[in-house]
Amino acid sequence: MSAIRNVLMASIALTMTSTAFAQDVSVLRIGLDGSENEADQIRKTECVAEGLKVATGVPEVQIFPSPDYNGVIQGLLGGTIDIASMGASSYAAIVLQDPAAVDPILTTAGADGSTGYYSLLVARKDKGYTKLADLKGKKLGFADPDSTSGYLVPNVSLPADIGGPVAEFFGETGFGGGHENLVLGVLDGTWDAGTTFGSGVGEWAEGYTTGNLHTMVEKGILDTDDIVELWRSPQIPNGPLMVSNKLPEDLKAKIQAFFLELPAKDLACFQGFTGGENTAYVEVEPAFYDTIVAARKSVIGD
């Protein structure tokens, strides 16, 4: 009897230990980077939060909007944010400060299967600009200092096309407070031109298939007849869905499985969360972002 009792007690102890470990994480926190207005970002993320509760068994999933990219970057570095989907430059900022802070687990595949997109420079059509040279001495707006398409890539790629440094070609540069606000600033005349992003695939009238212009057209706050695209970067790797390495490995695996299955289970939720006509999540390795990490280190430093 004592042997049986010992086995039973050991089994109960193991069960209690496993249960306690599972309950160590009582809340998951999703960070939103402010690239779109807060209310819309939250609305598009609520279905993800509800799905994660079921998929992971974590009883509470909270959504934390930030007014800018850096708020989410600092949250991931400090462990106050567990999950975020951001551009590659934001990931690079984290890696350059703490290579062990996050894992990039997934990225999106677009309507054409591509895992890349473009930085786009746009201006008001009625200004009469038809080429980059027309913008010499004008005011250029960037989306955010931690944006890949809205700041980093233009500073790397534009100089070759304008014949010199960005600061010398344009009369003034500044930041527009996220992609949506920047394009609205171009429309209201705050900026002569601004940098944003899109898939470069599909109809211009729809703002392409994914990206900020597409989202703005869908919301009815942009008519692409009012703007003109004056420049397009080389293709940029789609940004990663990141998870904090402070989470247990088994929980990270459940989070990854949930997102991988999301397009098939709830396409509307997936496309809302990822900003357009994306078709799937695909697994990604840190090496996918090596060029962006190197570019950020060269241009920004961290």
Side-chain angles (χ1 to χ4, degrees):
M1 287 295 291
S2 62
I4 294 173
R5 183 177 181 276
N6 288 340
V7 170
L8 287 172
M9 291 301 290
S11 177
I12 290 168
L14 179 60
T15 300
M16 290 178 66
T17 301
S18 298
T19 302
F21 179 76
Q23 291 175 345
D24 280 349
V25 178
S26 59
V27 60
L28 285 172
R29 297 152 298 191
I30 304 173
L32 305 178
D33 63 15
S35 57
E36 187 181 359
N37 79 74
E38 183 177 303
D40 286 335
Q41 278 197 305
I42 292 173
R43 175 179 54 81
K44 293 174 182 179
T45 307
E46 286 172 344
C47 59
V48 170
E50 290 303 312
L52 276 170
K53 290 180 190 178
V54 177
T56 64
V58 175
E60 186 176 2
V61 178
Q62 298 175 351
I63 301 170
F64 285 89
S66 171
D68 57 28
Y69 289 45
N70 190 54
V72 181
I73 290 169
Q74 296 307 317
L76 288 166
L77 284 167
T80 58
I81 296 295
D82 301 305
I83 303 167
S85 184
M86 301 182 75
S89 183
S90 296
Y91 167 69
I94 296 168
V95 169
L96 289 168
Q97 294 177 68
D98 181 0
V102 300
D103 276 339
I105 57 171
L106 302 170
T107 195
T108 52
D112 63 344
S114 169
T115 54
Y117 69 110
Y118 300 91
S119 173
L120 309 172
L121 193 152
V122 299
R124 274 180 57 150
K125 196 171 189 176
D126 62 8
K127 292 267 191 176
Y129 306 135
T130 60
K131 57 188 181 298
L132 270 178
D134 296 336
L135 296 175
K136 187 170 179 60
K138 305 299 183 183
K139 293 171 64 177
L140 174 68
F142 295 114
D144 184 283
D146 291 304
S147 171
T148 315
S149 59
Y151 183 68
L152 178 63
V153 168
N155 274 282
V156 171
S157 299
L158 261 175
D161 295 327
I162 57 179
V166 168
E168 294 178 9
F169 181 84
F170 292 95
E172 181 182 340
T173 62
F175 295 102
H179 286 276
E180 184 174 287
N181 285 335
L182 176 64
V183 174
L184 292 175
V186 171
L187 291 172
D188 70 20
T190 302
W191 310 101
D192 294 306
T195 54
T196 188
F197 70 100
S199 65
V201 175
E203 298 297 325
W204 171 248
E206 297 173 4
Y208 299 125
T209 56
T210 61
N212 179 56
L213 299 182
H214 179 84
T215 299
M216 293 180 72
V217 169
E218 275 198 328
K219 292 197 293 188
I221 58 175
L222 173 67
D223 184 337
T224 53
D225 282 344
D226 295 332
I227 60 173
V228 59
E229 178 185 321
L230 296 176
W231 176 81
R232 179 182 298 191
S233 73
Q235 193 175 61
I236 306 166
N238 285 345
L241 177 74
M242 296 174 279
V243 294
S244 170
N245 279 325
K246 290 180 171 60
L247 296 176
E249 288 300 319
D250 63 332
L251 181 54
K252 287 166 59 179
K254 289 178 180 179
I255 292 168
Q256 182 171 13
F258 164 75
F259 281 106
L260 274 171
E261 295 168 1
L262 184 60
K265 287 188 172 181
D266 192 340
L267 184 62
C269 176
F270 164 69
Q271 292 187 336
F273 183 65
T274 59
E277 299 170 19
N278 291 306
T279 56
Y281 271 121
V282 294
E283 295 185 39
V284 69
E285 297 292 331
F288 187 61
Y289 299 107
D290 282 353
T291 56
I292 300 299
V293 173
R296 181 169 179 113
K297 186 174 182 179
S298 173
V299 173
I300 301 174
D302 59 23

